[in-house]
């Protein structure tokens, strides 16, 4: 009987992986465990090293240091085509003169699989990716979203253990991109292949990923589920990069009281000294005059069921955003004075 690996066992272990280009350290001793069947996102600003990391996994770039273990085996010495990983390129790199069916069959023909087996696998992947009706079309006769699906199907048909995707939705417009995010997640679930996706779009990572890693200047800052990263960012950079965050500068005294101009609040477990209080727009509320702190409304922005109040704290002029239900924003207008309270259980403090 085959031993079945427990689901928590990593399929891929990235162990102190580094890459330097001359004086530039593109990836700096990054260690990460990717779990089997996980949808994992590598996220970070331009130049943080995401693509270089992905290219090392695929074998297109030689690491300067560290190891890549796939199911416990070091794959670093293997050529790209010998790795059970497949990279889907940002530019889909479809063969323009071949039909969709031919594009999908090509990789399997190179592997010299039997004709019947190739047809079966191509038909199967076209059904899963909703491409069957386009089997005989050429790439130029397809829309952007359909081309993206062909590229994905071509990567999946080879049944890699891990699929690497470099900004797979980058070429699509916003609406199609949002639809494809959900489709990609459904597909990943259906085919049961581990996906590692590179994106610079934090919303995209939050929507799609089971877990995500945030990189900056080649270094790993935080790895966790979207909830963990959003609710408990490890530092100020991550807090600012993921979602909208308000920052208020102040100090914490020996009683654990955070003080900033116009604001005084008790914080559990805070170190004394200068600190930045970080609070999400949805973790503040409008209160009666005399409570909370005072601000002046600069703008009321419409966000469907919610409104985002752009406020300047009266005592410091610090701009903040507060997200409230439309009903709480009724009658509020730019120029109005307003009182705001912060939910002390939903803040982060970053010591200086
Ligand atoms: P983007 O989102 O803009 O694609 P990225 O996070 O994918 O960025 P990388 O492409 O991995 O970033 O680049 C990381 C750093 O390494 C950058 O400073 C980049 O200029 C540098 N770099 C990447 N490839 C090379 C190369 N072949 N030679 C020299 N420097 C390189």
């Amino acid at each position: 009987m085959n031993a079945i690996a427990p689901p928590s066992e990593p399929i891929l272990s990235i162990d102190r992986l580094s890459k330097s280009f001359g004086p530039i350290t593109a990836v700096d001793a990054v260690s990460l465990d990717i779990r089997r069947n996980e949808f994992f996102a590598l996220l970070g600003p331009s130049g943080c090293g995401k693509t270089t990391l992905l290219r090392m996994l695929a074998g297109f770039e030689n690491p300067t240091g560290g190891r890549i273990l796939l199911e416990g085996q070091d794959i670093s010495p293997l050529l790209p085509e010998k790795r059970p990983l497949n990279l889907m390129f940002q530019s889909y790199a479809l063969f323009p003169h071949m039909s969709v069916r031919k594009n999908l069959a090509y990789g399997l023909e190179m592997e010299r699989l039997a004709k019947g087996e190739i047809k079966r696998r191509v038909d199967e992947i076209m059904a899963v990716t909703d491409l069957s009706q386009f089997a005989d079309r050429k790439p130029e006769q397809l829309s952007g979203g359909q081309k993206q699906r062909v590229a994905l199907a071509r990567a999946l048909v080879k049944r890699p253990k891990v699929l690497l995707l470099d900004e797979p939705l980058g070429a699509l417009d916003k609406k199609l991109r949002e639809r494809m995010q959900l489709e990609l997640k459904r597909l990943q679930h259906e085919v049961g292949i581990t996906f590692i996706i590179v994106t610079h779009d934090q919303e995209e990572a939050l929507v799609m990923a089971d877990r995500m890693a945030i990189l900056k200047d080649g270094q790993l800052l935080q790895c966790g589920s979207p909830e963990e990263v959003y609710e408990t960012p490890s530092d100020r950079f991550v807090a600012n990069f993921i979602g909208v965050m308000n920052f208020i500068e102040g100090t914490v005294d020996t009683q654990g009281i955070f003080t900033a101009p116009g604001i005084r609040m008790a914080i559990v477990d805070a170190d004394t000294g200068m600190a930045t209080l970080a609070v999400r727009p949805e973790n503040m509320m409008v209160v009666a005059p005399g409570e909370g702190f005072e601000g002046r409304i600069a703008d009321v922005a419409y966000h469907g069921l919610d409104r985002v109040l752009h406020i300047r704290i009266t005592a410091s002029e610090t701009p903040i955003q507060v997200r409230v239900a439309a009903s709480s924003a009724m009658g509020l207008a730019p120029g109005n004075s307003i009182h705001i309270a912060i939910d002390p259980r939903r803040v982060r403090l970053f010591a200086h």
Side-chain angles (χ1 to χ4, degrees):
M1 204 173 78
N2 285 334
I4 295 174
S8 59
E9 185 198 296
I11 187 166
L12 191 69
S13 287
I14 299 168
D15 180 21
R16 286 165 294 140
L17 201 62
S18 294
K19 177 71 186 180
S20 299
F21 297 104
I24 299 164
T25 306
V27 175
D28 192 359
V30 168
S31 293
L32 274 176
D33 277 345
I34 316 267
R35 299 172 191 153
R36 201 174 290 278
N37 292 349
E38 187 162 54
F39 199 127
F40 194 93
L42 293 170
L43 184 64
S46 180
C48 72
K50 340 179 261 298
T51 301
T52 305
L53 180 55
L54 203 71
R55 287 173 58 80
M56 285 195 280
L57 299 181
F60 295 119
E61 211 75 76
N62 282 324
T64 323
R67 295 184 311 161
I68 305 162
L69 303 176
L70 185 77
E71 296 177 323
Q73 200 195 346
D74 191 357
I75 58 164
S76 314
L78 298 182
L79 289 171
E81 60 271 23
K82 297 284 178 213
R83 299 185 183 201
L85 299 157
N86 217 340
L87 176 66
M88 194 190 115
F89 291 96
Q90 205 166 17
S91 61
Y92 310 136
L94 300 176
F95 299 119
H97 56 285
M98 289 185 192
S99 67
V100 168
R101 175 181 289 287
K102 271 283 194 194
N103 261 285
L104 299 184
Y106 184 80
L108 302 179
E109 285 164 1
M110 289 296 108
E111 283 181 32
R112 299 181 184 283
L113 295 187
K115 275 215 160 66
E117 168 75 0
I118 293 176
K119 182 172 182 327
R120 204 179 55 72
R121 275 170 62 170
V122 169
D123 284 343
E124 185 185 274
I125 205 68
M126 284 197 301
V128 176
T129 50
D130 233 349
L131 285 171
S132 307
Q133 73 265 42
F134 307 118
D136 300 316
R137 291 216 200 156
K138 301 261 172 64
E140 63 180 22
Q141 299 167 313
L142 299 173
S143 73
Q146 290 157 354
K147 270 190 254 194
Q148 199 275 345
R149 288 213 297 272
V150 178
L152 193 63
R154 197 175 59 171
L156 289 171
V157 79
K158 293 184 76 175
R159 296 188 184 160
K161 288 193 171 155
V162 178
L163 182 62
L164 309 171
L165 305 108
D166 188 1
E167 298 269 1
L169 308 179
L172 308 180
D173 66 50
K174 189 168 185 292
K175 217 167 173 124
L176 185 56
R177 201 176 162 111
E178 283 168 6
R179 210 186 77 213
M180 289 303 295
Q181 287 169 359
L182 299 176
E183 206 163 299
L184 207 57
K185 201 169 158 78
R186 171 192 66 84
L187 249 174
Q188 188 264 341
H189 202 74
E190 220 158 280
V191 294
I193 290 174
T194 306
F195 275 26
I196 304 178
I197 179 172
V198 156
T199 176
H200 66 270
D201 181 339
Q202 43 107 355
E203 291 250 359
E204 186 161 291
L206 289 172
V207 169
M208 291 199 290
D210 296 315
R211 285 193 312 143
M212 55 210 250
I214 290 96
L215 299 171
K216 185 192 169 213
D217 298 334
Q219 292 181 342
L220 175 67
L221 296 185
Q222 188 169 8
C223 175
S225 67
E227 292 81 357
E228 282 164 352
V229 175
Y230 187 83
E231 301 289 342
T232 52
S234 61
D235 70 2
R236 199 187 155 121
F237 176 86
V238 176
N240 195 31
F241 190 69
I242 304 289
V244 177
M245 186 68 97
N246 295 298
F247 295 105
I248 301 170
E249 305 299 334
T251 51
V252 179
D253 66 16
T254 49
Q255 260 78 58
I257 308 285
F258 174 83
T259 313
I263 300 174
R264 231 181 107 73
M265 62 188 295
I267 308 269
V268 187
D269 287 341
D271 294 332
T272 54
M274 304 249 288
T276 304
L277 180 106
V279 57
R280 300 273 182 210
E282 63 271 29
N283 295 328
M284 290 190 273
M285 63 225 111
V286 178
V287 290
E291 293 175 44
F293 58 88
E294 195 193 3
R296 190 160 297 279
I297 299 176
D299 193 19
V300 180
Y302 177 82
H303 280 256
L305 290 175
D306 292 342
R307 300 289 179 273
V308 171
L309 308 175
H310 293 258
I311 294 168
R312 281 191 179 268
I313 300 174
T314 305
S316 62
E317 284 291 302
T318 306
I320 56 165
Q321 293 185 32
V322 179
R323 194 172 186 119
V324 296
S327 55
S328 310
M330 273 210 313
L332 296 179
N336 289 170
S337 163
I338 192 169
H339 283 74
I340 297 294
I342 296 171
D343 182 346
R345 295 159 306 169
R346 307 296 295 278
V347 300
R348 298 283 288 168
L349 264 191
F350 300 117
H352 287 204

